[in-house]
DNA sequence: GCCTCTGGATTTTTT
DNA sequence: ATCCAGAGGC
């Protein structure tokens, strides 16, 4: 067993895994086996050092990374032992701490977790409380200020102390109000999940000691993307045993705009002067050519510690630089190239990924993939948990779990429409606020006629009906399981009928059913805990997390989201000035932001194992207007001998010329089968050049427009 | 209270 | 081009 843990590893990896107790900094280049090192170190601590797995905390940035780590450790240690490890994101860990020990700093056990849009909604209410004009003080901007403050562990009081401008002064006051409102709503935001545990540990050393004693070893992944608060949390936890192991790569730091601080790596060496430093420099992922090309791009950054990434992999083939006319041709080129690779090299679509700087770029690509019937998956465009129907359904449950949650209540009080208008909610909310009551309590008072508010009889009746439904449902909380609760709620609140009645309602309802499936994963707990853990789970999980790479589809993904992934074939599109580097970074005049753009490019390039394409369009439409673009400066940093430009210059790329074989004659009403989408009904058929565009309503997948020559539709009877 | 129109703003977004 | 929020009309 122990042999397994140390087998097939290089000397640097072994050093990282077997490093004696004490602070440890692992600087790991892309593809250098960092996840392997960190999981094997955990296994080594358990197996060779006899450490109880219960005493190990592993922190990652995404749930996906946590799950990967868990899978590997299940294999190395077996599920029984691995199950005792604490593995998760900083936020999930923080939530656990607050759930168990937050009462000491006034955090209710049933606290809700507010996401971005909840925060903005709450901030709007705060601005209104303070009679501030949201045009002058945009809630988004204030949210950013508050998030920055919390990422630096500054409470509202701390922040107000150091304000130095009028705007900051206002922001400070709003922060204070916001925090008060959060408390009243028994809610915390994402940043609180980090900051509050730190404050808790500072204020209550006995509680801190409990965690410090328990966790003998703490390991932090993606350390280059931690913020000050997260680093502080890790340090506090490690204060007793000083066994803090951090793994990161400064060259892959791409989240500074979320207040991640590369400085943490430097601080680590200062905070722990005795830290052992291990470099993982051998790359197992990419060809020599790809690695060298990427190295030349990153090398141009001045603020960096150079290190020497190398590989024993084959040289491979040159990086392909392609110039196309515009985004439509770019998309066509990509699809045609993927098709060629699938046909000639027996690649699978799932081997390929298309990466871009901004989400808006996915549209043209998506269109091409759709039209050519090439399967693709778009990562994180409209994120599952941000969909309206999902947020609504969750808001109902959140109110049932925590009636103080005014933001959630305001969200669903008139959804579906039940005659409770904005005006009514506003008046009710203001009155409740003045009485020191939650919106829900205000609603109860209004129904009992205990408010001076002159509501019309009709309004009063609407409020009464709504409260009746909610009270009824509330009596089920703690009695019925979370799935039953969800079902009854959507039924009794009339939400199901409401969703199904609207345009595209079937698809929306499918989403709700998917949510229901997620809920059914919490049935092993008591009704109360099941509800709580479901709500916490959905708050802390993003759907990007379950990107299934085995799927037979090309991945469309932003460069940011691609971090940590790898693909045999990578296309980076939009290699243009203004996009990559993005104009916002370029024009900010801040060299640090330009360096981050370069790192982003580096991250993208180093995702590729065998084939890398860098595509640049001469002209691109941008927010309705179209204009010429210069090639990205990063292209100029790649030595010519590593590249090839097979198609020559502008406009030379033709989409694969195809013999059109249209297949069966189709007309509306016909049943057809598609290799990926399954069976469906033809809705419409239009001629499109030599081809036919067929609109098909697929069972489950919904309505798709396909070009018949590519989609290879079979007629079924 | 609900519907429609207009105007403003649109990088990235692990949680 | 397009999505969203807020304003104004019914």
């Amino acid at each position: 067993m122990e042999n397994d843990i140390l087998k097939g590893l290089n000397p640097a990896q072994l050093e990282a895994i077997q490093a004696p107790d004490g602070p440890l900094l692992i600087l790991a280049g892309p593809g250098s086996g960092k996840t392997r090192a960190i999981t094997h170190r955990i296994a080594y601590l358990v197996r060779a050092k006899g450490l109880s797995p219960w005493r190990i905390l592993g922190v990652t940035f995404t749930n996906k990374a946590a799950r990967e780590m868990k899978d590997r450790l299940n294999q190395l240690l077996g599920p029984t032992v691995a199950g005792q490890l604490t593995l998760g994101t900083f936020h999930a860990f923080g939530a656990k701490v607050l759930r168990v020990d937050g009462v000491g700093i006034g955090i209710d056990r049933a606290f809700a977790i507010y996401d971005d849009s909840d925060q903005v909604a709450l901030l709007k209410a705060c601005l209104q409380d303070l009679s501030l004009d949201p045009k002058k003080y945009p809630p988004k901007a204030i949210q950013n200020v508050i998030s920055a403050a919390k990422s630096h562990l500054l409470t509202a009081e701390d922040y107000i102390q150091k304000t130095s401008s009028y705007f900051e002064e206002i922001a400070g006051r709003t922060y204070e109000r916001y925090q008060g409102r959060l408390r009243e709503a028994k809610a915390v935001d994402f940043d609180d999940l980090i900051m509050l545990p730190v404050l808790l540990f500072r204020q209550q050393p006995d509680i801190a000691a409990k965690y410090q004693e328990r966790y003998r070893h703490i390991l932090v992944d993606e350390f280059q993307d931690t913020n000050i608060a997260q680093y502080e949390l890790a340090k506090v936890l490690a204060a007793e045993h000083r066994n803090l192991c951090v793994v990161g790569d400064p060259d892959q730091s791409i989240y500074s705009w979320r207040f991640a601080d590369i400085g943490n790596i430097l601080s680590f060496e200062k905070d722990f002067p005795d830290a052992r430093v291990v470099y993982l420099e051998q790359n197992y992922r990419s060809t020599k050519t790809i690695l060298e090309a990427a190295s030349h791009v990153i090398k141009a950054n001045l603020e960096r510690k150079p290190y020497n990434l190398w590989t024993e992999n084959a040289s491979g083939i040159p990086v392909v630089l392609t110039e196309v006319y515009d985004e439509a041709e770019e998309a066509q080129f990509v699809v045609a190239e993927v098709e060629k690779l699938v046909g000639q090299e027996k690649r699978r679509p799932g081997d390929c990924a298309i990466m871009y700087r901004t989400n808006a770029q996915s549209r043209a690509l998506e269109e091409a993939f759709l039209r050519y019937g090439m399967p693709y998956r778009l990562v994180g465009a409209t994120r599952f948990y941000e969909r309206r129907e999902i947020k609504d359904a969750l808001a109902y449950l959140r109110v049932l779990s925590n009636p103080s949650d005014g933001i959630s209540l305001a969200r669903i009080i008139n959804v579906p429409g039940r005659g409770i208008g904005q005006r009514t909610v506003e008046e009710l909310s203001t009155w409740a606020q003045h009485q020191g009551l939650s919106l829900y309590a205000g609603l109860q008072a209004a129904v009992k006629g205990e408010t001076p508010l002159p509501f019309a009889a009709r309004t009063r009746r609407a409020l009464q009906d709504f409260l009746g439904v909610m009270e009824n449902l509330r009596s089920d909380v703690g009695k019925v399981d979370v799935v039953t609760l969800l079902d009854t709620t959507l039924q009794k609140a009339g939400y199901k009928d409401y969703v199904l009645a609207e345009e595209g309602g079937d698809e929306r309802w499918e989403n709700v059913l998917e949510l229901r499936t997620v809920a059914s994963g919490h049935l092993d707990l008591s009704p109360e805990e099941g509800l709580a853990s479901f709500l916490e789970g959905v708050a802390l999980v993003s759907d990007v997390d379950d990107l299934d790479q085995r799927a037979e589809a090309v991945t469309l993904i932003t460069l940011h989201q691609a971090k940590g992934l790898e693909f045999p074939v990578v296309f980076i599109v939009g290699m243009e000035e203004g996009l990559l580097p993005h104009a916002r970074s370029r024009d900010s005049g801040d060299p640090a932001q330009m360096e981050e753009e370069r790192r982003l490019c580096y991250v993208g390039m180093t995702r590729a194992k065998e084939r890398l394409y860098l595509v640049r369009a001469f002209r691109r439409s941008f927010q309705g207007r179209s204009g010429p673009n210069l090639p990205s400066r990063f292209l100029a940093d790649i030595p010519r001998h590593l590249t090839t430009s097979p198609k020559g210059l502008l406009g030379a790329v033709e989409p694969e010329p195809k013999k059109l074989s249209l297949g069966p004659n189709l007309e509306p009403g016909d049943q057809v089968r598609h290799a990926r989408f399954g069976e469906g009904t033809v809705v419409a058929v239009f001629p499109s050049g030599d081809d036919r565009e067929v609109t098909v309503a697929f069972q489950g997948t919904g309505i798709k427009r396909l070009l018949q020559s590519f989609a290879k539709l079979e007629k079924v009877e």
Side-chain angles (χ1 to χ4, degrees):
Chain A
M1 225 2 153
E2 196 173 315
N3 246 358
D4 277 1
I5 295 170
L6 300 177
K7 211 170 57 188
L9 295 154
N10 69 37
Q13 289 173 328
L14 285 174
E15 189 187 347
I17 292 161
Q18 296 177 293
D21 284 4
L24 175 63
L25 170 62
I26 303 173
L27 292 168
S32 63
K34 112 189 121 85
T35 310
R36 195 147 181 241
I38 206 169
T39 48
H40 283 241
R41 178 165 173 83
I42 291 173
Y44 176 81
L45 288 169
V46 174
R47 273 283 136 76
K49 295 298 195 74
L51 185 67
S52 162
W54 183 74
R55 296 194 169 280
I56 298 176
L57 169 64
V59 190
T60 59
F61 264 80
T62 61
N63 294 291
K64 181 169 171 287
R67 205 176 319 134
E68 255 171 44
M69 208 183 258
K70 181 143 230 164
D71 287 346
R72 292 212 202 183
L73 283 159
N74 274 340
Q75 279 167 23
L76 288 169
L77 296 172
T80 321
V81 176
Q84 297 176 58
L85 298 160
T86 310
L87 297 177
T89 62
F90 269 113
H91 292 87
F93 177 78
K96 286 270 139 40
V97 171
L98 292 181
R99 211 60 89 182
V100 176
D101 291 304
V103 201
I105 51 167
I107 302 296
D108 190 282
R109 218 166 274 278
F111 68 84
I113 298 172
Y114 274 10
D115 72 8
D116 245 48
S117 58
D118 300 322
Q119 282 181 59
V120 169
L122 186 59
L123 277 166
K124 278 183 189 159
C126 294
L127 290 172
Q128 201 166 28
D129 289 351
L130 299 171
S131 311
L132 291 166
D133 179 2
K135 290 229 176 68
K136 270 201 197 132
Y137 307 101
K140 274 254 155 221
I142 298 192
Q143 179 202 24
N144 202 46
V145 169
I146 294 175
S147 182
K150 289 182 175 178
S151 300
H152 290 90
L153 292 172
L154 296 173
T155 63
E157 294 71 42
D158 299 334
Y159 180 78
I160 288 168
Q161 291 285 309
K162 58 171 280 296
T163 53
S164 62
S165 72
Y166 185 59
F167 181 83
E168 286 182 1
E169 168 94 25
I170 297 289
R173 261 189 272 160
T174 315
Y175 181 5
E176 200 169 29
R177 179 89 207 162
Y178 168 81
Q179 214 54 27
R181 282 273 212 150
L182 273 180
R183 186 60 59 92
E184 285 164 22
K186 297 184 181 164
V188 303
D189 64 24
F190 281 136
D191 298 311
D192 284 339
L193 292 175
I194 313 297
M195 180 171 82
L196 294 179
V198 174
L199 299 184
L200 169 71
F201 290 156
R202 283 185 184 167
Q203 283 168 27
Q204 309 203 8
D206 52 319
I207 292 181
K210 186 174 84 176
Y211 290 91
Q212 289 162 341
E213 271 162 38
R214 169 168 171 181
Y215 292 114
R216 294 279 163 84
H217 276 267
I218 295 159
L219 302 96
V220 181
D221 197 8
E222 304 282 15
F223 187 60
Q224 78 280 356
D225 284 321
T226 52
N227 62 33
I228 301 269
Q230 289 164 330
Y231 178 37
E232 191 61 31
L233 181 56
K235 267 198 297 192
V236 174
L237 288 167
E240 170 83 16
H241 297 288
R242 295 185 81 251
N243 294 323
L244 180 57
C245 165
V246 300
V247 188
D249 178 5
D251 287 339
Q252 293 187 66
S253 162
I254 53 174
Y255 282 99
S256 72
W257 50 275
R258 287 288 281 110
F259 315 111
D261 194 340
I262 318 189
N264 282 345
I265 292 185
L266 300 174
S267 307
F268 188 84
E269 294 189 84
K270 244 197 284 153
D271 293 339
F272 301 96
D274 57 328
R276 177 180 287 251
V277 182
V278 179
Y279 288 83
L280 300 185
E281 296 177 305
Q282 181 176 1
N283 173 294
Y284 294 94
R285 178 184 297 152
S286 310
T287 63
K288 280 198 179 69
T289 305
I290 290 171
L291 199 61
E292 199 180 332
S295 300
H296 274 95
V297 169
I298 197 66
K299 210 165 74 176
N301 270 354
L302 300 174
E303 292 292 321
R304 94 177 257 272
K305 212 173 192 175
Y307 60 97
N308 179 33
L309 210 53
W310 58 281
T311 184
E312 283 177 356
N313 290 347
S315 292
I317 55 167
V319 175
V320 180
L321 304 185
T322 307
E323 295 185 294
V324 293
Y325 181 67
D326 61 6
E327 69 271 12
E329 199 180 278
E330 179 180 73
Q332 234 155 13
F333 165 74
V334 169
V335 175
E337 197 64 23
V338 170
E339 198 153 67
K340 206 171 87 189
L341 292 173
V342 170
Q344 295 177 4
E345 289 193 7
K346 300 270 180 290
R347 301 266 182 197
R348 303 174 319 167
D351 291 338
C352 306
I354 324 297
M355 302 179 185
Y356 37 82
R357 178 66 230 266
T358 68
N359 272 313
Q361 288 170 261
S362 67
R363 182 178 300 257
L365 293 163
E366 218 184 336
E367 237 159 63
F369 276 91
L370 214 50
R371 290 178 72 82
Y372 286 81
M374 168 91 63
Y376 69 95
R377 63 176 48 246
L378 182 66
V379 180
T382 20
R383 306 146 64 76
F384 185 71
Y385 289 106
E386 280 168 23
R387 285 177 194 171
R388 203 182 64 221
E389 62 277 16
I390 299 302
K391 293 217 68 168
D392 289 344
L394 288 172
Y396 271 103
L397 290 191
R398 291 190 351 168
V399 173
L400 294 177
S401 158
N402 169 20
S404 305
D405 182 347
I407 295 295
S408 294
L409 177 54
R411 182 182 179 96
I412 46 93
I413 193 165
N414 199 37
V415 179
R418 43 173 79 92
I420 306 174
Q422 201 186 317
R423 188 72 199 279
T424 306
V425 176
E426 234 161 68
E427 281 176 10
L428 201 52
S429 168
T430 310
W431 179 80
Q433 185 72 26
H434 283 303
Q435 304 300 116
L437 296 174
S438 69
L439 180 56
Y440 198 94
L443 175 65
Q444 287 175 315
V447 169
K448 284 192 211 142
E450 290 169 356
T451 68
L453 301 169
F455 290 134
R458 183 153 46 133
T459 304
R460 190 174 293 253
R461 175 79 162 278
L463 293 173
Q464 191 175 358
D465 289 350
F466 174 69
L467 182 66
V469 170
M470 292 307 280
E471 286 292 295
N472 207 304
L473 290 166
R474 273 226 287 160
S475 64
D476 278 354
V477 174
K479 293 206 188 86
V480 306
D481 67 76
V482 55
V483 174
T484 313
L485 186 67
L486 180 63
D487 288 343
T488 345
T489 302
L490 298 176
Q491 181 69 44
K492 290 197 178 157
Y495 195 77
K496 182 176 178 179
D497 297 334
Y498 161 78
V499 168
L500 287 173
E502 68 185 318
E503 181 111 10
D506 289 348
E507 204 173 325
R508 289 186 180 279
W509 185 247
E510 295 265 326
N511 290 332
V512 177
L513 291 181
E514 209 172 307
L515 184 70
R516 190 179 182 276
T517 309
V518 177
S520 64
H522 299 263
L523 288 178
D524 50 329
L525 299 164
S526 73
E528 205 140 28
E529 286 170 38
L531 177 60
S533 92
F534 170 59
L535 289 176
E536 179 169 314
V538 297
L540 296 179
V541 165
S542 73
D543 53 333
V544 187
D545 285 331
D546 39 53
L547 172 64
D548 181 358
Q549 257 183 270
R550 289 161 310 168
E552 280 309 301
V554 178
T555 301
L556 270 50
I557 192 168
T558 65
L559 288 163
H560 281 91
Q561 291 174 320
K563 191 180 77 168
L565 305 177
E566 62 176 29
F567 299 88
V569 181
V570 169
F571 295 79
I572 303 180
V573 297
M575 288 294 302
E576 294 141 47
E577 285 292 299
L579 266 181
L580 186 65
H582 197 276
R584 286 260 196 152
S585 299
R586 189 188 54 194
D587 302 340
S588 70
D590 178 0
Q593 283 195 41
M594 279 301 295
E595 297 217 336
E596 185 148 317
E597 294 288 320
R598 193 176 276 285
R599 291 194 292 269
L600 200 47
C601 184
Y602 175 71
V603 166
M605 293 174 76
T606 53
R607 300 309 93 199
K609 292 162 94 164
E610 293 158 35
R611 281 179 175 272
L612 175 61
Y613 294 81
L614 303 175
V615 190
R616 166 243 163 171
F618 164 68
R619 157 181 288 281
R620 187 176 293 274
S621 345
F622 190 61
Q623 291 164 210
R625 274 187 307 279
S626 167
N629 273 353
L630 293 171
S632 168
R633 65 191 67 187
F634 305 144
L635 291 171
D637 295 318
I638 305 172
R640 294 302 298 269
H641 72 273
L642 300 173
T643 66
T644 170
S645 312
K647 302 281 185 163
L649 288 171
L650 297 177
V653 181
E654 290 290 327
E656 276 287 272
K658 290 215 171 267
K659 277 254 158 44
L660 296 182
S661 55
L662 290 186
N665 259 323
L666 296 174
E667 50 186 46
D670 285 348
Q671 289 294 113
V672 290
R673 193 199 321 280
H674 181 275
R676 171 154 166 264
F677 301 132
E679 284 195 23
T681 311
V682 175
V683 179
V685 182
F686 295 108
S688 167
D690 297 334
D691 208 336
R692 279 197 297 259
E693 184 182 294
V694 188
T695 308
V696 186
F698 287 105
Q699 292 150 17
T701 346
I703 292 178
K704 305 271 184 234
R705 280 187 332 177
L706 306 161
L707 281 182
Q708 204 183 339
S709 64
F710 291 96
K712 300 189 181 70
L713 293 167
E714 263 178 81
K715 204 165 167 175
V716 290
E717 218 22 75

